Amino acid sequence: MNKAAEHRRAEACDAELGTAVERAQAGDEDSFAIAYRIVQPGLLGFLRGLVGEDAEDVASDAWLEIARDLGRFRGDGAGFRGWTAVIARHRALDHLRRQKSRPRGSLIEQDLLEMPGIQDTAGEALESLATERALEVIATLPQDQAEAVLLRVVVGLDGPAAARVLGKRPGAVRTAAHRGLKRLAQRVTNTGARALGGSR
């Protein structure tokens, strides 16, 4: 999918999310369920990158807070995505403090592979193979790069929104995401070159 089509799809998704959030704030439970279905896959992937197998428990805590404070939220669909990521990150950091551990290796493969797509089956299969290779490396990235990549790619936040989630300047988050994606690209390129060399 080209960047323009991907951008239009993201805008349409955020427009749908914004409408669902607005209706949910007015008490429409079905609209809250729609907002949940749109946001949860990316949010769960982000949390798996931070807390590993405990992501679903942390996500449940985050959604309780999101539901409780929904009336206070002001913004559009993209803003809601960022707001939920901030809440989820705070719950993840609380969880890690309680566990007295560092973020564990990422288990986001399943979440990413289950995310809905509009490509054909063959395209999805090729994308899944590339995604699996990239996910193997995400777990090895420094924490700031891993979080930036997860927020930008998995959750779908733009630079300023990801910066707000992490409490950093947008430039620092863009740099961390760029470095992380560059490492991912280098690893995939190196793996491909070794595979080609080995098949001769």
Side-chain angles (χ1 to χ4, degrees):
M1 180 185 313
N2 66 35
K3 286 197 181 263
E6 193 173 310
H7 182 68
R8 283 192 301 275
R9 181 176 170 217
E11 283 182 341
C13 184
D14 282 342
E16 178 185 5
L17 178 57
T19 300
V21 169
E22 190 176 314
R23 289 180 180 159
Q25 288 176 315
D28 184 346
E29 292 180 17
D30 290 338
S31 292
F32 186 82
I34 291 168
Y36 174 86
R37 280 194 302 271
I38 292 171
V39 173
Q40 177 66 357
L43 200 64
L44 191 58
F46 173 58
L47 289 171
R48 283 191 189 269
L50 297 177
V51 299
E53 295 174 2
D54 296 332
E56 292 199 21
D57 292 338
V58 174
S60 294
D61 290 343
W63 279 104
L64 287 173
E65 185 173 338
I66 291 163
R68 183 192 72 205
D69 295 343
L70 184 63
R72 292 189 224 165
F73 171 74
R74 298 290 176 263
D76 58 7
F80 184 74
R81 208 181 288 276
W83 182 69
T84 59
V86 169
I87 292 171
R89 183 172 187 265
H90 287 167
R91 296 296 65 78
L93 294 175
D94 288 346
H95 175 79
L96 291 171
R97 277 192 286 275
R98 282 192 304 273
Q99 298 297 319
K100 294 184 181 173
S101 67
R102 295 177 48 94
R104 291 176 286 216
S106 171
L107 296 175
I108 64 175
E109 297 92 0
Q110 178 123 4
D111 296 313
L112 283 179
L113 295 175
E114 289 177 3
M115 289 178 76
I118 61 170
Q119 293 88 3
D120 62 284
T121 305
E124 287 178 6
L126 290 173
E127 186 176 319
S128 293
L129 291 173
T131 301
E132 287 177 30
R133 279 188 232 122
L135 292 172
E136 291 172 2
V137 182
I138 287 177
T140 67
L141 293 175
Q143 183 178 349
D144 66 325
Q145 292 177 16
E147 281 190 307
V149 169
L150 289 166
L151 286 170
R152 296 294 306 274
V153 177
V154 178
V155 179
L157 299 182
D158 62 15
R164 285 190 295 276
V165 171
L166 297 173
K168 297 182 177 182
R169 290 172 310 176
V173 173
R174 277 193 301 273
T175 299
H178 174 75
R179 288 180 179 159
L181 291 170
K182 188 174 178 182
R183 282 186 181 191
L184 292 174
Q186 287 171 340
R187 179 67 62 90
V188 169
T189 300
N190 292 341
T191 302
R194 280 197 300 272
L196 286 175
S199 66
R200 288 181 184 165

